[in-house]
PDB file of all heavy atoms in Angstrom:
ATOM      1  N   TYR A 226     -10.653 -19.600   7.984  1.00 99.00           N
ATOM      2  CA  TYR A 226     -11.549 -20.527   8.684  1.00 99.00           C
ATOM      3  C   TYR A 226     -12.518 -21.075   7.647  1.00 99.00           C
ATOM      4  O   TYR A 226     -13.381 -20.352   7.145  1.00 99.00           O
ATOM      5  CB  TYR A 226     -12.275 -19.780   9.795  1.00 99.00           C
ATOM      6  CG  TYR A 226     -13.139 -20.642  10.703  1.00 99.00           C
ATOM      7  CD1 TYR A 226     -12.889 -21.993  10.904  1.00 99.00           C
ATOM      8  CD2 TYR A 226     -14.222 -20.072  11.386  1.00 99.00           C
ATOM      9  CE1 TYR A 226     -13.674 -22.757  11.754  1.00 99.00           C
ATOM     10  CE2 TYR A 226     -15.012 -20.824  12.245  1.00 99.00           C
ATOM     11  CZ  TYR A 226     -14.736 -22.175  12.421  1.00 99.00           C
ATOM     12  OH  TYR A 226     -15.517 -22.931  13.257  1.00 99.00           O
ATOM     13  N   ALA A 227     -12.337 -22.329   7.277  1.00 99.00           N
ATOM     14  CA  ALA A 227     -13.116 -22.958   6.210  1.00 99.00           C
ATOM     15  C   ALA A 227     -14.203 -23.835   6.805  1.00 99.00           C
ATOM     16  O   ALA A 227     -13.946 -24.655   7.698  1.00 99.00           O
ATOM     17  CB  ALA A 227     -12.207 -23.780   5.305  1.00 99.00           C
ATOM     18  N   ILE A 228     -15.420 -23.694   6.272  1.00 98.00           N
ATOM     19  CA  ILE A 228     -16.580 -24.413   6.796  1.00 98.00           C
ATOM     20  C   ILE A 228     -17.304 -25.097   5.639  1.00 98.00           C
ATOM     21  O   ILE A 228     -17.819 -24.414   4.736  1.00 98.00           O
ATOM     22  CB  ILE A 228     -17.542 -23.444   7.506  1.00 98.00           C
ATOM     23  CG1 ILE A 228     -16.799 -22.657   8.594  1.00 98.00           C
ATOM     24  CG2 ILE A 228     -18.732 -24.199   8.101  1.00 98.00           C
ATOM     25  CD1 ILE A 228     -17.586 -21.482   9.143  1.00 98.00           C
ATOM     26  N   PRO A 229     -17.339 -26.425   5.616  1.00 98.00           N
ATOM     27  CA  PRO A 229     -18.039 -27.128   4.536  1.00 98.00           C
ATOM     28  C   PRO A 229     -19.526 -26.767   4.517  1.00 98.00           C
ATOM     29  O   PRO A 229     -20.150 -26.602   5.566  1.00 98.00           O
ATOM     30  CB  PRO A 229     -17.823 -28.604   4.865  1.00 98.00           C
ATOM     31  CG  PRO A 229     -16.676 -28.636   5.808  1.00 98.00           C
ATOM     32  CD  PRO A 229     -16.734 -27.360   6.575  1.00 98.00           C
ATOM     33  N   GLN A 230     -20.084 -26.671   3.318  1.00 98.00           N
ATOM     34  CA  GLN A 230     -21.497 -26.371   3.135  1.00 98.00           C
ATOM     35  C   GLN A 230     -22.186 -27.515   2.388  1.00 98.00           C
ATOM     36  O   GLN A 230     -21.529 -28.411   1.846  1.00 98.00           O
ATOM     37  CB  GLN A 230     -21.661 -25.068   2.348  1.00 98.00           C
ATOM     38  CG  GLN A 230     -20.963 -23.873   2.980  1.00 98.00           C
ATOM     39  CD  GLN A 230     -21.566 -23.472   4.301  1.00 98.00           C
ATOM     40  OE1 GLN A 230     -22.721 -23.069   4.370  1.00 98.00           O
ATOM     41  NE2 GLN A 230     -20.779 -23.569   5.380  1.00 98.00           N
ATOM     42  N   GLU A 231     -23.475 -27.462   2.365  1.00 97.00           N
ATOM     43  CA  GLU A 231     -24.223 -28.511   1.669  1.00 97.00           C
ATOM     44  C   GLU A 231     -23.926 -28.487   0.174  1.00 97.00           C
ATOM     45  O   GLU A 231     -23.553 -27.459  -0.389  1.00 97.00           O
ATOM     46  CB  GLU A 231     -25.725 -28.325   1.905  1.00 97.00           C
ATOM     47  CG  GLU A 231     -26.270 -27.031   1.331  1.00 97.00           C
ATOM     48  CD  GLU A 231     -27.763 -26.858   1.575  1.00 97.00           C
ATOM     49  OE1 GLU A 231     -28.289 -27.465   2.542  1.00 97.00           O
ATOM     50  OE2 GLU A 231     -28.391 -26.110   0.811  1.00 97.00           O
ATOM     51  N   GLY A 232     -24.070 -29.630  -0.441  1.00 96.00           N
ATOM     52  CA  GLY A 232     -23.897 -29.724  -1.889  1.00 96.00           C
ATOM     53  C   GLY A 232     -22.476 -29.517  -2.364  1.00 96.00           C
ATOM     54  O   GLY A 232     -22.257 -29.119  -3.513  1.00 96.00           O
ATOM     55  N   GLY A 233     -21.504 -29.765  -1.500  1.00 97.00           N
ATOM     56  CA  GLY A 233     -20.110 -29.605  -1.904  1.00 97.00           C
ATOM     57  C   GLY A 233     -19.615 -28.172  -1.893  1.00 97.00           C
ATOM     58  O   GLY A 233     -18.547 -27.878  -2.434  1.00 97.00           O
ATOM     59  N   GLY A 234     -20.378 -27.288  -1.252  1.00 98.00           N
ATOM     60  CA  GLY A 234     -19.951 -25.902  -1.169  1.00 98.00           C
ATOM     61  C   GLY A 234     -18.943 -25.686  -0.057  1.00 98.00           C
ATOM     62  O   GLY A 234     -18.751 -26.530   0.824  1.00 98.00           O
ATOM     63  N   MET A 235     -18.294 -24.526  -0.070  1.00 98.00           N
ATOM     64  CA  MET A 235     -17.308 -24.195   0.943  1.00 98.00           C
ATOM     65  C   MET A 235     -17.393 -22.703   1.285  1.00 98.00           C
ATOM     66  O   MET A 235     -17.362 -21.855   0.395  1.00 98.00           O
ATOM     67  CB  MET A 235     -15.888 -24.521   0.448  1.00 98.00           C
ATOM     68  CG  MET A 235     -14.788 -24.343   1.491  1.00 98.00           C
ATOM     69  SD  MET A 235     -14.952 -25.444   2.906  1.00 98.00           S
ATOM     70  CE  MET A 235     -14.791 -27.047   2.078  1.00 98.00           C
ATOM     71  N   ARG A 236     -17.539 -22.417   2.577  1.00 98.00           N
ATOM     72  CA  ARG A 236     -17.515 -21.042   3.051  1.00 98.00           C
ATOM     73  C   ARG A 236     -16.180 -20.804   3.750  1.00 98.00           C
ATOM     74  O   ARG A 236     -15.783 -21.585   4.611  1.00 98.00           O
ATOM     75  CB  ARG A 236     -18.663 -20.776   4.025  1.00 98.00           C
ATOM     76  CG  ARG A 236     -18.640 -19.375   4.637  1.00 98.00           C
ATOM     77  CD  ARG A 236     -19.820 -19.183   5.579  1.00 98.00           C
ATOM     78  NE  ARG A 236     -21.075 -19.266   4.853  1.00 98.00           N
ATOM     79  CZ  ARG A 236     -22.253 -19.525   5.414  1.00 98.00           C
ATOM     80  NH1 ARG A 236     -22.332 -19.754   6.715  1.00 98.00           N
ATOM     81  NH2 ARG A 236     -23.344 -19.560   4.672  1.00 98.00           N
ATOM     82  N   VAL A 237     -15.485 -19.728   3.363  1.00 99.00           N
ATOM     83  CA  VAL A 237     -14.177 -19.428   3.929  1.00 99.00           C
ATOM     84  C   VAL A 237     -14.168 -18.003   4.469  1.00 99.00           C
ATOM     85  O   VAL A 237     -14.352 -17.045   3.711  1.00 99.00           O
ATOM     86  CB  VAL A 237     -13.052 -19.593   2.885  1.00 99.00           C
ATOM     87  CG1 VAL A 237     -11.695 -19.343   3.539  1.00 99.00           C
ATOM     88  CG2 VAL A 237     -13.096 -20.967   2.239  1.00 99.00           C
ATOM     89  N   HIS A 238     -13.995 -17.885   5.784  1.00 98.00           N
ATOM     90  CA  HIS A 238     -13.732 -16.583   6.388  1.00 98.00           C
ATOM     91  C   HIS A 238     -12.219 -16.360   6.279  1.00 98.00           C
ATOM     92  O   HIS A 238     -11.432 -17.117   6.853  1.00 98.00           O
ATOM     93  CB  HIS A 238     -14.157 -16.565   7.848  1.00 98.00           C
ATOM     94  CG  HIS A 238     -15.634 -16.714   8.047  1.00 98.00           C
ATOM     95  ND1 HIS A 238     -16.507 -15.653   7.976  1.00 98.00           N
ATOM     96  CD2 HIS A 238     -16.392 -17.815   8.295  1.00 98.00           C
ATOM     97  CE1 HIS A 238     -17.733 -16.073   8.194  1.00 98.00           C
ATOM     98  NE2 HIS A 238     -17.701 -17.388   8.388  1.00 98.00           N
ATOM     99  N   CYS A 239     -11.831 -15.336   5.552  1.00 98.00           N
ATOM    100  CA  CYS A 239     -10.411 -15.160   5.243  1.00 98.00           C
ATOM    101  C   CYS A 239     -10.005 -13.710   5.465  1.00 98.00           C
ATOM    102  O   CYS A 239     -10.700 -12.784   5.018  1.00 98.00           O
ATOM    103  CB  CYS A 239     -10.142 -15.561   3.793  1.00 98.00           C
ATOM    104  SG  CYS A 239      -8.414 -15.459   3.276  1.00 98.00           S
ATOM    105  N   SER A 240      -8.905 -13.508   6.152  1.00 98.00           N
ATOM    106  CA  SER A 240      -8.352 -12.167   6.311  1.00 98.00           C
ATOM    107  C   SER A 240      -7.584 -11.835   5.040  1.00 98.00           C
ATOM    108  O   SER A 240      -6.406 -12.163   4.899  1.00 98.00           O
ATOM    109  CB  SER A 240      -7.427 -12.122   7.535  1.00 98.00           C
ATOM    110  OG  SER A 240      -6.939 -10.812   7.741  1.00 98.00           O
TER     111      SER A 240
END
Side-chain angles (χ1 to χ4, degrees):
Y226 186 26
I228 305 168
Q230 304 294 296
E231 64 180 24
M235 186 63 62
R236 176 179 296 160
V237 183
H238 295 276
C239 182
S240 183

